[in-house]
Amino acid sequence: MTNKIRRIAIICGYSFPDGMAPTTRILAYSKGLVEDDTKVDIFIFFPTESVQNSFPVNGMIYGINYHYPGTRTYPKIIILRKLSHLYYGFIAALKLIKEHRKGKFDFVIVSIDWLRILYLFIPIIRFIKSKPIFIADEYPVPIRVYLQESIPKWKIILYRFILNHVDGMIFMTNNLMAYYNNIVEKPSFILPSITDLSRFSNLSIMRSNDSVRYICYMGNMELSKDNVDNIIEAFGLIANRYSNLELHLYGAPSSNDLQIITEIISKLNLADRVIFKGKVANSEVPKILHESFILVSSQPISKRAEGGFPTKLGEYMASGVPTLITDVGEISNFVTDGVNVWLAKACNPVAYSQKLDYIINNYTEALYVAENAKKYVLENFDYKSQSKNLKEFLSKLSLEDKKS
């Protein structure tokens, strides 16, 4: 059944092939599709300029073709920036049509929830007689960005109209699926955390108990999504007990978030113990994670966290390093405290520090839990099996379309 799908396109606004969580996720399931004999083309309509200019306009990785709209200037004025989304989106759409003429796209996955992009691409996808699929990993703005509890009614109306013209929808969590199906009901599929385990093979770094060890956080340090301040405050509560322990923060926070984080570090006198490491390339991530003493992540209690799922969790677990995260959203539906990860109460530095302290003092047990995590990822989050499940979902849509 899956061999009936020959070619898939993906529309996204993220840098590719190097980037943050959305890029890693797209790369993982695209690689799985290619290995399952499906051609994949990625059309990036508006990534960050600094990353885009690091890659050719057209390239290939793991057999995945990717296409940029070309070099451009990044507008600073918001209204001009939004207009430029449409301008470069139109260029990306022309590239999509050109590639479609070379070989039909059975499906086009639109991996962005911006209404202006949905209204641009979905009619074009229909025009070229391909099947549009909507994919969402988080709630839409203003829930995602401004942490509100809902979106305006006019947005709901616009979503309902345009999503009524897609063939199916893909979500990261059940909460997201319920949310969007309440707007418009369509055949839907859950694509949870997905991890390319091959990136973590052949890692055999020995960790010395005599040298400085580091607790590692890796992410974008956006405090509304990852409240790194909770981790820092928790570390501050136990730092004096472990003089050879540091907290390394990987990511590039906004200037406002960086100021908040820096002030907390200064207040707790941790300037020499909390180290900013900046952004790193995807190729460096596995080694950094594997060499860590403990891997940490923290999300606050929010509507945003309710609908999402940390992509980094799969990579943390694949590294074989003890992992501590906060229990928010649907995380506890997938993993179990003390079995394959450690879960702490959210927005509670004391509870978080207690879990950290336990892991440090029971590290042999923690390593056993970490080994269970690697097995769990292989059985549940591996990119090969998840991509196969995705392809089966799309194949069913093709069969249903033919029957109708």
Side-chain angles (χ1 to χ4, degrees):
M1 178 171 64
T2 55
N3 288 333
K4 295 182 182 297
I5 300 177
R6 300 298 182 187
R7 197 178 187 200
I8 291 174
I10 300 170
I11 309 296
C12 72
Y14 318 112
S15 59
F16 191 91
D18 202 11
M20 299 297 290
T23 300
T24 301
R25 185 167 164 80
I26 290 173
L27 183 61
Y29 67 73
S30 296
K31 182 181 177 183
L33 289 169
V34 168
E35 291 179 4
D36 197 25
D37 198 30
T38 299
K39 294 180 180 179
V40 177
D41 288 73
I42 313 289
F43 296 88
I44 307 100
F45 69 88
F46 201 75
T48 58
E49 183 178 41
S50 59
V51 176
Q52 174 183 325
N53 293 336
S54 302
F55 301 106
V57 173
N58 299 292
M60 176 183 287
I61 183 171
Y62 303 131
I64 307 161
N65 295 303
Y66 61 90
H67 314 269
Y68 279 95
T71 57
R72 49 46 169 192
T73 303
Y74 190 76
K76 300 300 181 183
I77 302 174
I78 292 179
I79 186 64
L80 294 179
R81 191 183 308 168
K82 291 185 177 181
L83 289 174
S84 65
H85 292 165
L86 294 175
Y87 172 72
Y88 290 105
F90 183 71
I91 295 176
L94 291 177
K95 288 197 170 191
L96 171 71
I97 294 170
K98 182 179 179 180
E99 287 297 320
H100 181 75
R101 287 172 177 168
K102 294 178 182 178
K104 178 185 177 182
F105 289 115
D106 299 295
F107 289 92
V108 179
I109 298 173
V110 184
S111 183
I112 195 78
D113 62 8
W114 297 352
L115 282 166
R116 55 189 175 279
I117 298 301
L118 294 176
Y119 273 83
L120 170 64
F121 276 99
I122 290 176
I124 291 173
I125 297 166
R126 283 293 183 197
F127 174 75
I128 63 175
K129 297 187 178 353
S130 187
K131 297 180 178 63
I133 301 294
F134 172 66
I135 186 167
D137 300 339
E138 288 193 83
Y139 287 122
V141 179
I143 299 173
R144 181 174 71 247
V145 176
Y146 304 112
L147 304 182
Q148 296 184 13
E149 292 296 311
S150 62
I151 65 175
K153 289 185 178 179
W154 64 265
K155 266 198 168 185
I156 293 176
I157 293 171
L158 290 177
Y159 271 121
R160 180 176 294 124
F161 178 82
I162 196 64
L163 293 181
N164 192 48
H165 296 279
V166 303
D167 283 47
M169 301 192 291
I170 302 169
F171 304 105
M172 200 171 193
T173 64
N174 286 292
N175 286 335
L176 271 180
M177 183 170 69
Y179 178 84
Y180 275 100
N181 272 275
N182 189 51
I183 295 175
V184 57
E185 193 167 344
K186 287 286 179 176
S188 299
F189 173 72
I190 298 294
L191 183 68
S193 185
I194 180 168
T195 305
D196 182 357
L197 290 174
S198 66
R199 300 175 65 221
F200 294 85
S201 60
N202 302 320
L203 293 175
S204 56
I205 305 298
M206 295 298 293
R207 303 180 188 89
S208 172
N209 290 327
D210 298 325
S211 61
V212 172
R213 300 171 297 183
Y214 66 90
I215 298 171
C216 172
Y217 161 86
M218 188 169 289
N220 62 8
M221 277 192 270
E222 181 184 347
L223 293 182
S224 62
K225 182 180 181 182
D226 285 5
N227 57 337
V228 179
D229 50 327
N230 185 62
I231 300 173
I232 296 170
E233 290 178 11
F235 178 67
L237 292 173
I238 64 168
N240 289 338
R241 302 177 210 164
Y242 308 102
S243 59
N244 65 336
L245 199 58
E246 294 179 347
L247 173 60
H248 291 188
L249 304 176
Y250 288 86
S254 67
S255 56
N256 288 339
D257 285 348
L258 178 60
Q259 182 177 350
I260 294 171
I261 295 170
T262 303
E263 288 175 355
I264 293 172
I265 293 171
S266 177
K267 179 182 177 181
L268 298 175
N269 296 314
L270 293 173
D272 59 340
R273 304 284 300 278
V274 180
I275 315 298
F276 288 98
K277 306 294 286 188
K279 287 182 67 174
V280 294
N282 280 345
S283 58
E284 299 178 54
V285 170
K287 184 174 183 292
I288 292 170
L289 297 183
H290 186 67
E291 291 180 345
S292 304
F293 183 58
I294 301 172
L295 298 173
V296 292
S297 179
S298 178
Q299 290 183 293
I301 300 170
S302 67
K303 180 73 173 178
R304 179 179 186 175
E306 173 193 299
F309 191 92
T311 300
K312 68 170 71 70
L313 179 57
E315 295 197 332
Y316 275 18
M317 295 171 71
S319 69
V321 174
T323 294
L324 172 61
I325 58 177
T326 49
D327 187 5
V328 296
E330 297 184 20
I331 289 177
S332 59
N333 293 349
F334 292 90
V335 295
T336 305
D337 181 40
V339 175
N340 35 44
V341 298
W342 302 97
L343 296 175
K345 185 176 180 181
C347 303
N348 190 322
V350 174
Y352 204 94
S353 69
Q354 290 171 347
K355 289 283 185 174
L356 270 179
D357 201 39
Y358 183 88
I359 294 170
I360 295 168
N361 287 294
N362 298 274
Y363 201 69
T364 300
E365 176 191 346
L367 287 174
Y368 176 77
V369 170
E371 283 301 311
N372 286 341
K374 290 176 65 175
K375 296 175 185 176
Y376 183 88
V377 171
L378 177 62
E379 294 170 359
N380 296 274
F381 295 158
D382 181 52
Y383 78 101
K384 293 182 180 179
S385 58
Q386 289 293 347
S387 299
K388 190 175 291 290
N389 293 339
L390 170 60
K391 194 170 177 180
E392 288 178 357
F393 167 71
L394 297 176
S395 296
K396 289 179 182 178
L397 293 181
S398 293
L399 291 174
E400 291 171 2
D401 186 58
K402 289 181 180 179
K403 288 178 182 179
S404 60

